[in-house]
Amino acid sequence: MFISRIPLNKARYGARQLIGSPYKLHAAVECAFPPDAVRNNDEGRILWRLDTSVNDSAVWLYVVSPEKPDFMHIVEQAGWPMHAEWETKNYEPLLERIAKGQQWHFKLRANPARKAKEDKGRRRRSDGIVGKVHGHITVDQQLQWLIDRSASHGFTILNDQNDQPDVVVKERHKENFKRADATVTLVTAVFEGRLEVTDAELFRKALCQGVGRAKGFGCGLLTIAPDLNNKAE
């Protein structure tokens, strides 16, 4: 597995096109790999996320992938062609370090959503799930969505000094974009906070396979960094 990041130049029209359309950016990320490259297997899949700096002056594209990418086409369209640089690192050393009890700072852009069990005017299926996906709207709903899924992904959210979940829910958006002739609507949110690993194998899977829905549209990529509050890391 590899983890990469590449800066996007917001002054360029091509960059603004990619930033404004998860569908177009998904296609650009796919083109960073040859047609026969591994895109999804037991070890991991292609995941990506856009991060914007606090002052909104810089945008970074993060990608986790089973194979090493080539972002030259993105540089030519949306970066700085005279300074064609990006970072790609082997993800395995970090993955191999993951152990139960570790505490990490984390960041996740996700699509907090649920499948409706019942919709007005529609027949309820025998399994109790109608199947229509609804995005969670409020901060409390979105935070609870993450907490509910934490155990199955091998971690728990740590509490702060007030015994509340130590996580911030921000950059909450309802996004609409074109996909072929259809309009796609996504509710997205960025979670940033502190976690503790409860199951190393499940947590490694979350880092490589993602969390939640809409992974092809820039959601699901969980990244971690040393927790400054934990001197052991």
Side-chain angles (χ1 to χ4, degrees):
M1 294 296 293
F2 296 88
I3 184 167
S4 310
R5 73 170 188 167
I6 175 174
L8 302 184
N9 183 354
K10 290 177 62 179
R12 301 190 64 188
Y13 175 72
R16 295 195 298 273
Q17 278 194 313
L18 294 181
I19 293 169
S21 172
Y23 179 59
K24 290 180 180 178
L25 190 46
H26 167 72
V29 170
E30 282 288 314
C31 288
F33 307 89
D36 59 348
V38 175
R39 283 164 165 76
N40 190 2
N41 60 19
D42 291 339
E43 300 301 318
R45 59 171 293 164
I46 298 174
L47 300 166
W48 62 270
R49 185 182 77 217
L50 278 180
D51 280 5
T52 304
S53 65
V54 175
N55 58 10
D56 202 31
S57 62
V59 177
W60 290 86
L61 171 63
Y62 284 82
V63 178
V64 165
S65 57
E67 297 196 15
K68 196 172 183 177
D70 182 346
F71 293 123
M72 184 56 70
H73 64 294
I74 295 181
V75 171
E76 292 174 348
Q77 178 183 352
W80 286 265
M82 297 299 292
H83 301 278
E85 298 179 359
W86 62 84
E87 298 178 57
T88 295
K89 296 181 179 180
N90 186 352
Y91 212 16
E92 296 300 332
L94 175 61
L95 296 174
E96 291 172 358
R97 282 182 53 204
I98 298 300
K100 182 178 179 179
Q102 289 177 339
Q103 296 181 359
W104 297 91
H105 178 90
F106 76 92
K107 188 171 186 178
L108 167 70
R109 182 177 183 269
N111 168 224
R114 63 178 177 84
K115 275 189 177 181
K117 292 184 177 180
E118 205 165 2
D119 280 339
K120 292 181 180 179
R122 298 183 62 182
R123 174 180 287 182
R124 187 182 180 91
R125 294 209 309 254
S126 60
D127 61 3
I129 297 176
V130 170
K132 186 175 181 180
V133 177
H134 297 269
H136 290 300
I137 303 299
T138 70
V139 170
D140 288 344
Q141 289 174 338
Q142 292 171 346
L143 178 56
Q144 191 61 50
W145 174 90
L146 179 62
I147 292 172
D148 289 345
R149 282 152 184 78
S150 60
S152 63
H153 288 91
F155 67 92
T156 185
I157 303 295
L158 293 169
N159 285 345
D160 60 19
Q161 295 178 345
N162 298 316
D163 204 30
Q164 297 297 313
D166 193 359
V167 57
V168 175
V169 186
K170 58 184 182 179
E171 298 177 38
R172 302 167 54 246
H173 301 294
K174 187 174 184 180
E175 303 179 20
N176 297 285
F177 57 92
K178 293 292 185 180
R179 180 185 184 185
D181 295 327
T183 298
V184 177
T185 300
L186 286 180
V187 173
T188 63
V190 172
F191 302 89
E192 194 164 359
R194 298 170 58 238
L195 60 76
E196 180 173 314
V197 179
T198 56
D199 185 304
E201 183 176 351
L202 288 177
F203 191 64
R204 279 191 289 267
K205 184 176 180 181
L207 293 174
C208 296
Q209 296 282 2
V211 177
R213 301 174 180 275
K215 296 182 180 73
F217 297 133
C219 296
L221 174 53
L222 173 68
T223 54
I224 56 176
D227 180 6
L228 298 181
N229 293 326
N230 179 18
K231 303 300 183 182
E233 272 301 322

